[in-house]
Amino acid sequence: MFVSSEVVKWNIKDLKVLDRASTFYSVGHLMIPGGDSKKPNDKYLVAYNKITKDRYLPTGPELSQSAQIFDISGDKMQLILDFPTIGEPHYAQAAAADVIKGRSLKFFDIKTNEHPRATKSEADAKVIREGNKVHVYMTTIRSHLTPDNIEGIRMGDEVYFHVTNLEQDWDVPHGFAIKGANNGELLIMPGETTTLKWVPDRVGIFPMYCTDFCSALHQEMTGYIRVSPAGSNVPLTFHTGK
Ligand SMILES: [Cu+2]
C-alpha cells in the first residue's frame, strides 16, 4: 500500500516522538474539534487527505478525498473512522454533538412567521396584479402547490412568487423552480416564506415544481403558468387542482 504521509504525536516537553500513524494519503489539513474555540477538544484529531487515488470508486470529475479521525487521548494514536469527503476541506470545523443538538431549530413556527408576504393557509393563497408586477402568494405542503394553475401573466410582467412552506414537521423543506428561469430555485424550510422573481422571456406554458424530494408524491408538486402576449386581455385567474 502506498503511504505518503503520516501524523505524529509528540511529547512537547522533551520533544520525544510518542507515536506515528499512516494516513491515506497526503495530509492537506489537520483539524481538532473546537479548535477555534476557547475549549478545543484534545481527544480527537481529523486528518484531511489529498491524492486519494485508488481508495474509492473512480467516478465523477473529481475523486473522493479521504478523511481519518484519530483518537489522540493516549500516547498511542488510534484510527477510529476513515471516511470519504468531497474535496479536501481547507477550513473544516467540528464540534461535539451536544454543543449543537439542543440549540438547533427543527422548523419555523408558522404562527410566528411575520414575513409581510407570508401566506398562512391555502385559503389565503392569491395572485395580485400591481401594474406590470404580479405577486403570487403561494403555499406548499405535501403534496401540492397552491395555486398550481395561473393564467393571465403577460410578456413584460415581473412575477414574484412568495412561497410559504406550511409544513410543521422536521426535515420537510420544499423547493420551488420555474422551468427555463435564468435564476436559481428556492429551498423553503418548514414555516418559512421566501421569494423568487421571474421575468418570462417568451409566450407559452411554463411548468413550476418542487425541487426537493419531499414524499412519494413529490412529483405531484407541480403546476403550470400561462404567459400570454403583451397587451393580451386574458384575465388573471388561479386555482388548484382543477
Ligand atoms: Cu415538495
Side-chain angles (χ1 to χ4, degrees), residues 140-143 145 173-175 210-215 218 221:
T140 64
I141 194 162
R142 285 162 289 172
S143 293
L145 308 172
H174 290 293
C210 175
T211 52
D212 200 82
F213 183 83
C214 48
S215 80
H218 167 65
M221 296 198 69

Side-chain angles (χ1 to χ4, degrees), residues 194-206:
T194 52
T195 296
L196 182 82
K197 179 185 176 184
W198 179 55
V199 181
D201 61 358
R202 70 203 115 106
V203 167
I205 306 279
F206 293 83

Side-chain angles (χ1 to χ4, degrees), residues 14-242:
D14 53 9
L15 290 180
K16 208 174 106 200
V17 172
L18 296 173
D19 194 22
R20 319 174 85 99
S22 298
T23 55
F24 308 100
Y25 293 105
S26 299
V27 175
H29 293 80
L30 297 175
M31 187 267 285
I32 297 273
D36 283 348
S37 72
K38 287 181 183 169
K39 289 185 198 156
N41 184 321
D42 59 2
K43 198 169 177 224
Y44 303 106
L45 171 85
V46 183
Y48 291 109
N49 310 314
K50 289 183 189 283
I51 330 266
T52 314
K53 304 279 191 198
D54 54 350
R55 299 212 59 217
Y56 304 111
L57 287 175
T59 54
E62 185 187 19
L63 299 183
S64 293
Q65 307 293 312
S66 102
Q68 292 170 291
I69 304 180
F70 293 89
D71 181 335
I72 56 167
S73 56
D75 284 353
K76 290 282 169 201
M77 292 181 284
Q78 202 186 345
L79 177 65
I80 54 175
L81 185 66
D82 187 320
F83 58 99
T85 66
I86 301 299
E88 182 264 301
H90 281 213
Y91 191 79
Q93 187 55 268
D98 57 14
V99 172
I100 298 163
K101 211 174 149 210
R103 304 178 193 195
S104 60
L105 189 65
K106 293 192 169 173
F107 55 86
F108 296 102
D109 182 350
I110 190 80
K111 293 196 287 298
T112 61
N113 179 336
E114 287 177 1
H115 193 292
R117 306 283 190 179
T119 306
K120 296 205 181 183
S121 78
E122 290 183 355
D124 295 329
K126 59 192 176 206
V127 182
I128 290 171
R129 174 177 287 286
E130 291 169 4
N132 75 326
K133 291 186 170 56
V134 178
H135 293 277
V136 179
Y137 293 82
M138 179 180 282
T139 62
T140 64
I141 194 162
R142 285 162 289 172
S143 293
H144 51 274
L145 308 172
T146 303
D148 65 7
N149 277 293
I150 302 170
E151 297 198 59
I153 306 293
R154 302 190 289 247
M155 285 300 292
D157 284 346
E158 291 174 4
V159 188
Y160 295 85
F161 296 90
H162 309 293
V163 187
T164 300
N165 181 349
L166 294 179
E167 304 281 355
Q168 292 288 273
D169 192 5
W170 194 23
D171 195 24
V172 194
H174 290 293
F176 182 75
I178 310 270
K179 187 160 190 259
N182 290 325
N183 51 7
E185 63 190 70
L186 300 181
L187 182 65
I188 315 132
M189 293 299 139
E192 192 186 31
T193 303
T194 52
T195 296
L196 182 82
K197 179 185 176 184
W198 179 55
V199 181
D201 61 358
R202 70 203 115 106
V203 167
I205 306 279
F206 293 83
M208 53 185 177
Y209 49 95
C210 175
T211 52
D212 200 82
F213 183 83
C214 48
S215 80
L217 295 176
H218 167 65
Q219 291 87 335
E220 306 284 315
M221 296 198 69
T222 183
Y224 296 93
I225 305 168
R226 181 192 296 278
V227 175
S228 301
S232 105
N233 60 2
V234 176
L236 193 63
T237 56
F238 58 95
H239 48 77
T240 300
K242 288 173 203 144

